[in-house]
Amino acid sequence: MSVHQISRNSEEESKFIRDRLIEFNAGQVPADQNRYEEINLNIKDQEGKIIAGLLGECCWNWVEVHILWVDPAYRKHGFGSQLLTEIERIAREKECTFIKLNTFSFQAPGFYKKHGYQEMAVIDDAPRGFKHYYFKKDL
């Protein structure tokens, strides 16, 4: 086999590669479990400005939370808890069996533990001087 050049992807090339893996995965999992849906939520103030949000997806039998953010001026007012409660409700409605997410030591590991998430793994020094936590909550 000859050596080929490695180059950085364009957005279109990245989408092509992602779609090929999704296509392959779909062929491995029973059709009744084959699903993918983005679930993105937000909370707005009275002027319509987003003050908190959650970006995630329903994939197969779980929901994955990629981002949960609350504007610093609105932290400690329960908005993060409201978003987490809503994504858990949606996950149950979609008959998911668990939720998974990750966070850093400078973000919110204590918040997720308080909400019943179990620590599955920790990577030390990622980024340097901090920890990267992986959590799961069975539903």
Side-chain angles (χ1 to χ4, degrees):
M1 180 176 260
S2 62
V3 176
H4 298 279
Q5 182 179 354
I6 296 174
S7 59
R8 299 229 175 186
N9 291 341
S10 66
E11 283 186 43
E12 183 178 310
E13 290 165 331
S14 293
K15 182 181 179 336
F16 172 83
I17 293 166
R18 184 178 303 105
D19 289 348
R20 296 301 69 78
L21 181 61
I22 290 169
E23 182 180 285
F24 170 81
N25 291 348
Q28 309 307 306
V29 177
D32 67 330
Q33 292 184 41
N34 231 336
R35 63 182 175 170
Y36 174 87
E37 174 190 354
E38 288 188 16
I39 304 171
N40 301 320
L41 310 170
N42 68 65
I43 298 174
K44 296 178 181 175
D45 67 11
Q46 294 173 344
E47 288 84 44
K49 176 186 164 199
I50 294 175
I51 60 169
L54 181 149
L55 306 180
E57 63 194 26
C58 176
C59 183
W60 296 324
N61 61 306
W62 71 81
V63 163
E64 183 160 0
V65 173
H66 295 291
I67 294 174
L68 193 158
W69 169 83
V70 178
D71 184 294
Y74 292 91
R75 291 182 185 160
K76 306 288 186 193
H77 291 92
F79 295 114
S81 295
Q82 288 178 36
L83 288 167
L84 208 51
T85 298
E86 179 63 8
I87 196 69
E88 290 172 10
R89 186 196 66 74
I90 292 168
R92 286 184 180 95
E93 179 181 276
K94 294 183 173 297
E95 299 180 348
C96 292
T97 57
F98 66 94
I99 295 180
K100 64 179 182 165
L101 54 84
N102 69 85
T103 189
F104 297 102
S105 54
F106 57 84
Q107 290 178 327
F111 170 79
Y112 294 112
K113 288 178 184 177
K114 180 179 91 173
H115 286 280
Y117 286 76
Q118 295 181 319
E119 185 180 298
M120 303 303 291
V122 179
I123 299 173
D124 291 324
D125 222 22
R128 287 185 193 100
F130 299 96
K131 295 182 180 196
H132 193 163
Y133 291 87
Y134 292 84
F135 286 100
K136 177 185 176 196
K137 182 175 184 177
D138 291 323
L139 300 174

